[in-house]
Amino acid sequence: MSGFSKKTKAVFAFIAVGAVIYTGIEIVQRQHYVHVLVKEAKDSSIPRVQYINPQTGPTLRNLTLPGNVTAWYQAPIYAQVSGYVKQWYKDFGADVKAGDLLATIDTPSLDAEYEAARANLKVAQTKYQLAKVTAQRWKALSGTKAVSQQEVDVQAANAKVQDALVDAAKHDVDRYAALQAFKSIRAPFNGVVTSRLTDVGDFVNDNGDLSHSGKATELFTVADIHRLRVFVDVPQDYASILKPGIKAELTAIQYPGKVFKADYLTSARAFNTTTRTVTTELTVDNASHLLWPGTFVNVHFIAPSDPNILILPEQALIFRAQGMQVAVVGADNRVRMHNVTLGNNLGKSVQILSGVAKTDRIVNNPSAGLMDGQLVKLVDSTPGYNDDFQNTEQITLKHENESLKKNAAQPVEVQQ
């Protein structure tokens, strides 16, 4: 080094000092990066969760179910006598009154039997008159040597037998006379002809019309549609609303914008074990005949609900071996699993009868791996996805209640 100049020595010294400083900075930066990475790794290991608060339920419950409309009364009308359809007078859709003639049947065989029965009655009456006169004559000779008492009694008994035969012949005539009345097919009540399954010349008997594929069918079907029955299957969790006084609204696709008011009539009071629903019957006035039997309708039930019961969205629930639970975030940001008791399903939300308080912070859409006591970090809701459940739910319930009240106050639209 003694051969180097002072300037050269200074340069080497400066380089050495720079290398030491650079190395020190690198070490410090790496330690800082390691510290940051460790901190980020620890932070990343903490699950991010979104939370919601339980909300109060609606004051009214809105339930929409499919329903089927049937006639108030519906009668398939069969032939009661054998013969051929002579003429029909009412076709599909005809309005009829009770007793209106629908068709007539030509029954030559029955007519002959009826005439024979009437002739047999005359014969029986004649024989009875002869037996009666004979018995009187023999009775007049009773006590004389001309006749015995035995013969008198025989003639008296014969007169009674002939009298009984007259009664039998009268009943036979009455039976055929009743069958003669069945030659005229008449409407059993006021209504509408919804089917005509016969035509002129068809052979019929007391099993129905045999001219269609050899199967016995009804000749006509008459339905009373001044009032209709609506059958709807109500799920088990809504069965509590089925009681006298409950109202329902009907809508049909062929009448957009029209609403028909329906009244609760009865329910089966037994659940179908396959569907867990109960068959419920409603009634609706149909004086204008707008609705027809067989119509598919949407049935909108309007029922009161307890607003003090808290509700949560379905995705906040966790089903585990311990039962139905929710994940509650405590003040220390650790999760506590609470067992909850569910009430009625309201569609997107469900009633919570016990297990949570209104101020609890409930993890929304929790992962399957979330454990009790686990530390979590709260984050803001994803915009557009369960964003601010409490505000959205309150607005929705408000609109539903206003809509239901508005519809309930409006008159029924039944005129075209």
Side-chain angles (χ1 to χ4, degrees), residues 341-378:
T341 302
L342 303 184
N344 292 312
N345 191 311
L346 304 179
K348 295 182 179 180
S349 57
V350 63
Q351 291 180 332
I352 307 298
L353 302 181
S354 65
V356 296
K358 190 174 182 179
T359 56
D360 286 343
R361 297 185 298 180
I362 310 297
V363 176
N364 192 22
N365 215 1
S367 65
L370 199 61
M371 303 299 294
D372 188 70
Q374 186 173 358
L375 181 66
V376 296
K377 188 173 183 178
L378 300 177

Short mmCIF file of all heavy atoms in Angstrom, two decimals, residues 341-378:
data_model
loop_
_atom_site.label_atom_id
_atom_site.label_comp_id
_atom_site.label_asym_id
_atom_site.label_seq_id
_atom_site.Cartn_x
_atom_site.Cartn_y
_atom_site.Cartn_z
N THR A 341 -83.03 -21.49 17.59
CA THR A 341 -84.30 -22.18 17.30
C THR A 341 -84.99 -21.43 16.17
O THR A 341 -85.21 -20.21 16.27
CB THR A 341 -85.21 -22.20 18.53
OG1 THR A 341 -84.53 -22.85 19.60
CG2 THR A 341 -86.51 -22.95 18.23
N LEU A 342 -85.30 -22.15 15.11
CA LEU A 342 -85.89 -21.51 13.93
C LEU A 342 -87.41 -21.49 14.02
O LEU A 342 -88.04 -22.38 14.59
CB LEU A 342 -85.48 -22.26 12.66
CG LEU A 342 -83.97 -22.39 12.40
CD1 LEU A 342 -83.74 -23.05 11.05
CD2 LEU A 342 -83.28 -21.03 12.45
N GLY A 343 -87.97 -20.43 13.41
CA GLY A 343 -89.42 -20.31 13.28
C GLY A 343 -89.83 -20.57 11.84
O GLY A 343 -89.33 -21.49 11.20
N ASN A 344 -90.69 -19.73 11.32
CA ASN A 344 -91.19 -19.90 9.96
C ASN A 344 -90.19 -19.41 8.92
O ASN A 344 -89.46 -18.44 9.16
CB ASN A 344 -92.51 -19.14 9.78
CG ASN A 344 -93.63 -19.75 10.60
OD1 ASN A 344 -93.83 -20.96 10.58
ND2 ASN A 344 -94.36 -18.93 11.32
N ASN A 345 -90.18 -20.09 7.79
CA ASN A 345 -89.36 -19.66 6.67
C ASN A 345 -90.11 -18.58 5.90
O ASN A 345 -91.24 -18.80 5.46
CB ASN A 345 -89.05 -20.85 5.76
CG ASN A 345 -88.00 -20.53 4.73
OD1 ASN A 345 -88.07 -19.52 4.05
ND2 ASN A 345 -87.01 -21.40 4.61
N LEU A 346 -89.49 -17.41 5.72
CA LEU A 346 -90.13 -16.29 5.05
C LEU A 346 -89.65 -16.10 3.62
O LEU A 346 -89.83 -15.05 3.02
CB LEU A 346 -89.88 -15.00 5.85
CG LEU A 346 -90.33 -15.02 7.31
CD1 LEU A 346 -90.00 -13.72 7.99
CD2 LEU A 346 -91.82 -15.33 7.43
N GLY A 347 -89.01 -17.11 3.07
CA GLY A 347 -88.49 -17.01 1.72
C GLY A 347 -86.99 -16.88 1.74
O GLY A 347 -86.27 -17.87 1.87
N LYS A 348 -86.49 -15.64 1.63
CA LYS A 348 -85.05 -15.42 1.69
C LYS A 348 -84.53 -15.33 3.11
O LYS A 348 -83.33 -15.41 3.35
CB LYS A 348 -84.70 -14.12 0.94
CG LYS A 348 -84.97 -14.18 -0.55
CD LYS A 348 -84.55 -12.87 -1.22
CE LYS A 348 -84.79 -12.93 -2.72
NZ LYS A 348 -84.39 -11.67 -3.39
N SER A 349 -85.43 -15.15 4.06
CA SER A 349 -85.04 -15.06 5.47
C SER A 349 -85.85 -16.03 6.29
O SER A 349 -86.84 -16.60 5.81
CB SER A 349 -85.24 -13.62 5.98
OG SER A 349 -86.58 -13.21 5.80
N VAL A 350 -85.44 -16.22 7.54
CA VAL A 350 -86.10 -17.18 8.42
C VAL A 350 -86.19 -16.59 9.81
O VAL A 350 -85.32 -15.81 10.24
CB VAL A 350 -85.31 -18.52 8.45
CG1 VAL A 350 -83.92 -18.33 9.02
CG2 VAL A 350 -86.07 -19.58 9.21
N GLN A 351 -87.28 -16.91 10.50
CA GLN A 351 -87.46 -16.41 11.86
C GLN A 351 -86.52 -17.13 12.83
O GLN A 351 -86.30 -18.34 12.72
CB GLN A 351 -88.90 -16.61 12.32
CG GLN A 351 -89.91 -15.72 11.61
CD GLN A 351 -91.32 -15.97 12.11
OE1 GLN A 351 -91.65 -17.07 12.56
NE2 GLN A 351 -92.16 -14.95 12.04
N ILE A 352 -85.96 -16.37 13.79
CA ILE A 352 -85.10 -16.92 14.83
C ILE A 352 -85.83 -16.73 16.16
O ILE A 352 -85.98 -15.61 16.66
CB ILE A 352 -83.73 -16.21 14.88
CG1 ILE A 352 -83.08 -16.23 13.49
CG2 ILE A 352 -82.83 -16.87 15.91
CD1 ILE A 352 -82.78 -17.60 12.96
N LEU A 353 -86.30 -17.81 16.73
CA LEU A 353 -87.09 -17.74 17.96
C LEU A 353 -86.23 -17.56 19.20
O LEU A 353 -86.66 -16.95 20.18
CB LEU A 353 -87.96 -19.01 18.09
CG LEU A 353 -88.92 -19.28 16.92
CD1 LEU A 353 -89.73 -20.55 17.19
CD2 LEU A 353 -89.85 -18.09 16.68
N SER A 354 -85.02 -18.09 19.19
CA SER A 354 -84.14 -17.95 20.35
C SER A 354 -82.70 -18.19 19.92
O SER A 354 -82.44 -18.83 18.90
CB SER A 354 -84.53 -18.95 21.46
OG SER A 354 -84.33 -20.29 21.02
N GLY A 355 -81.76 -17.65 20.72
CA GLY A 355 -80.35 -17.89 20.47
C GLY A 355 -79.55 -16.67 20.10
O GLY A 355 -78.32 -16.68 20.18
N VAL A 356 -80.20 -15.58 19.68
CA VAL A 356 -79.49 -14.36 19.31
C VAL A 356 -80.24 -13.16 19.83
O VAL A 356 -81.43 -13.22 20.14
CB VAL A 356 -79.33 -14.24 17.78
CG1 VAL A 356 -78.47 -15.36 17.22
CG2 VAL A 356 -80.68 -14.20 17.09
N ALA A 357 -79.50 -12.04 19.96
CA ALA A 357 -80.09 -10.76 20.33
C ALA A 357 -79.98 -9.81 19.15
O ALA A 357 -79.19 -10.02 18.22
CB ALA A 357 -79.37 -10.18 21.54
N LYS A 358 -80.77 -8.73 19.19
CA LYS A 358 -80.80 -7.81 18.07
C LYS A 358 -79.47 -7.11 17.85
O LYS A 358 -79.14 -6.71 16.74
CB LYS A 358 -81.92 -6.78 18.29
CG LYS A 358 -82.20 -5.92 17.09
CD LYS A 358 -83.40 -5.03 17.31
CE LYS A 358 -83.70 -4.21 16.05
NZ LYS A 358 -84.89 -3.33 16.23
N THR A 359 -78.67 -6.97 18.92
CA THR A 359 -77.39 -6.27 18.79
C THR A 359 -76.24 -7.18 18.40
O THR A 359 -75.11 -6.71 18.21
CB THR A 359 -77.05 -5.58 20.13
OG1 THR A 359 -77.05 -6.57 21.18
CG2 THR A 359 -78.08 -4.50 20.46
N ASP A 360 -76.46 -8.48 18.31
CA ASP A 360 -75.39 -9.41 17.98
C ASP A 360 -74.89 -9.17 16.55
O ASP A 360 -75.65 -8.83 15.65
CB ASP A 360 -75.88 -10.86 18.10
CG ASP A 360 -76.03 -11.30 19.54
OD1 ASP A 360 -75.46 -10.63 20.41
OD2 ASP A 360 -76.72 -12.31 19.77
N ARG A 361 -73.57 -9.35 16.39
CA ARG A 361 -72.96 -9.27 15.07
C ARG A 361 -72.86 -10.70 14.53
O ARG A 361 -72.05 -11.50 15.00
CB ARG A 361 -71.59 -8.60 15.14
CG ARG A 361 -71.65 -7.15 15.63
CD ARG A 361 -70.29 -6.48 15.58
NE ARG A 361 -69.32 -7.14 16.47
CZ ARG A 361 -68.05 -6.76 16.61
NH1 ARG A 361 -67.58 -5.74 15.88
NH2 ARG A 361 -67.24 -7.39 17.45
N ILE A 362 -73.68 -11.01 13.54
CA ILE A 362 -73.79 -12.37 13.00
C ILE A 362 -72.96 -12.45 11.72
O ILE A 362 -73.07 -11.60 10.82
CB ILE A 362 -75.25 -12.74 12.69
CG1 ILE A 362 -76.15 -12.44 13.90
CG2 ILE A 362 -75.36 -14.19 12.27
CD1 ILE A 362 -75.81 -13.23 15.12
N VAL A 363 -72.11 -13.48 11.63
CA VAL A 363 -71.32 -13.69 10.42
C VAL A 363 -72.26 -14.09 9.29
O VAL A 363 -73.01 -15.06 9.41
CB VAL A 363 -70.25 -14.77 10.64
CG1 VAL A 363 -69.49 -15.03 9.33
CG2 VAL A 363 -69.28 -14.35 11.73
N ASN A 364 -72.22 -13.33 8.22
CA ASN A 364 -73.06 -13.64 7.06
C ASN A 364 -72.31 -14.56 6.11
O ASN A 364 -71.15 -14.33 5.78
CB ASN A 364 -73.45 -12.34 6.35
CG ASN A 364 -74.54 -12.59 5.33
OD1 ASN A 364 -75.28 -13.57 5.41
ND2 ASN A 364 -74.65 -11.69 4.37
N ASN A 365 -72.98 -15.64 5.70
CA ASN A 365 -72.38 -16.61 4.78
C ASN A 365 -71.07 -17.19 5.33
O ASN A 365 -70.02 -17.11 4.69
CB ASN A 365 -72.12 -15.94 3.43
CG ASN A 365 -72.32 -16.88 2.28
OD1 ASN A 365 -72.69 -18.03 2.47
ND2 ASN A 365 -72.06 -16.42 1.08
N PRO A 366 -71.09 -17.77 6.53
CA PRO A 366 -69.85 -18.29 7.13
C PRO A 366 -69.33 -19.51 6.39
O PRO A 366 -70.10 -20.28 5.80
CB PRO A 366 -70.30 -18.65 8.55
CG PRO A 366 -71.75 -18.96 8.42
CD PRO A 366 -72.28 -18.03 7.37
N SER A 367 -68.01 -19.70 6.43
CA SER A 367 -67.39 -20.86 5.79
C SER A 367 -67.58 -22.10 6.67
O SER A 367 -67.79 -22.00 7.88
CB SER A 367 -65.91 -20.61 5.54
OG SER A 367 -65.22 -20.49 6.78
N ALA A 368 -67.46 -23.26 6.05
CA ALA A 368 -67.65 -24.51 6.78
C ALA A 368 -66.55 -24.73 7.81
O ALA A 368 -66.74 -25.44 8.80
CB ALA A 368 -67.70 -25.68 5.80
N GLY A 369 -65.37 -24.11 7.60
CA GLY A 369 -64.25 -24.34 8.51
C GLY A 369 -64.19 -23.37 9.67
O GLY A 369 -63.25 -23.45 10.48
N LEU A 370 -65.15 -22.48 9.80
CA LEU A 370 -65.15 -21.52 10.90
C LEU A 370 -65.38 -22.25 12.21
O LEU A 370 -66.33 -23.02 12.35
CB LEU A 370 -66.24 -20.47 10.66
CG LEU A 370 -66.12 -19.16 11.43
CD1 LEU A 370 -64.83 -18.44 11.07
CD2 LEU A 370 -67.33 -18.27 11.16
N MET A 371 -64.48 -21.98 13.19
CA MET A 371 -64.53 -22.71 14.46
C MET A 371 -64.88 -21.78 15.62
O MET A 371 -64.65 -20.57 15.56
CB MET A 371 -63.16 -23.36 14.74
CG MET A 371 -62.69 -24.30 13.62
SD MET A 371 -63.83 -25.69 13.36
CE MET A 371 -63.64 -26.56 14.90
N ASP A 372 -65.41 -22.37 16.67
CA ASP A 372 -65.75 -21.62 17.87
C ASP A 372 -64.47 -21.09 18.53
O ASP A 372 -63.50 -21.83 18.71
CB ASP A 372 -66.52 -22.51 18.85
CG ASP A 372 -67.06 -21.74 20.04
OD1 ASP A 372 -68.00 -20.94 19.83
OD2 ASP A 372 -66.54 -21.93 21.16
N GLY A 373 -64.45 -19.80 18.87
CA GLY A 373 -63.29 -19.17 19.49
C GLY A 373 -62.26 -18.64 18.52
O GLY A 373 -61.26 -18.05 18.92
N GLN A 374 -62.48 -18.84 17.24
CA GLN A 374 -61.52 -18.41 16.22
C GLN A 374 -61.53 -16.90 16.07
O GLN A 374 -62.58 -16.26 16.08
CB GLN A 374 -61.84 -19.08 14.89
CG GLN A 374 -60.83 -18.83 13.80
CD GLN A 374 -61.13 -19.65 12.55
OE1 GLN A 374 -62.07 -20.43 12.54
NE2 GLN A 374 -60.32 -19.49 11.53
N LEU A 375 -60.33 -16.32 15.92
CA LEU A 375 -60.19 -14.88 15.71
C LEU A 375 -60.54 -14.56 14.26
O LEU A 375 -60.09 -15.23 13.34
CB LEU A 375 -58.76 -14.43 16.02
CG LEU A 375 -58.47 -12.93 15.87
CD1 LEU A 375 -59.26 -12.13 16.90
CD2 LEU A 375 -56.97 -12.66 16.01
N VAL A 376 -61.35 -13.53 14.05
CA VAL A 376 -61.75 -13.12 12.71
C VAL A 376 -61.55 -11.62 12.56
O VAL A 376 -61.37 -10.90 13.54
CB VAL A 376 -63.22 -13.48 12.43
CG1 VAL A 376 -63.45 -14.97 12.46
CG2 VAL A 376 -64.15 -12.77 13.40
N LYS A 377 -61.56 -11.19 11.32
CA LYS A 377 -61.43 -9.77 11.02
C LYS A 377 -62.65 -9.34 10.22
O LYS A 377 -63.00 -9.95 9.21
CB LYS A 377 -60.15 -9.51 10.21
CG LYS A 377 -59.86 -8.03 10.04
CD LYS A 377 -58.50 -7.83 9.40
CE LYS A 377 -58.16 -6.34 9.29
NZ LYS A 377 -56.81 -6.14 8.71
N LEU A 378 -63.28 -8.28 10.69
CA LEU A 378 -64.50 -7.80 10.04
C LEU A 378 -64.14 -6.93 8.85
O LEU A 378 -63.25 -6.08 8.91
CB LEU A 378 -65.35 -7.00 11.03
CG LEU A 378 -65.81 -7.76 12.28
CD1 LEU A 378 -66.58 -6.85 13.20
CD2 LEU A 378 -66.65 -8.96 11.89
#
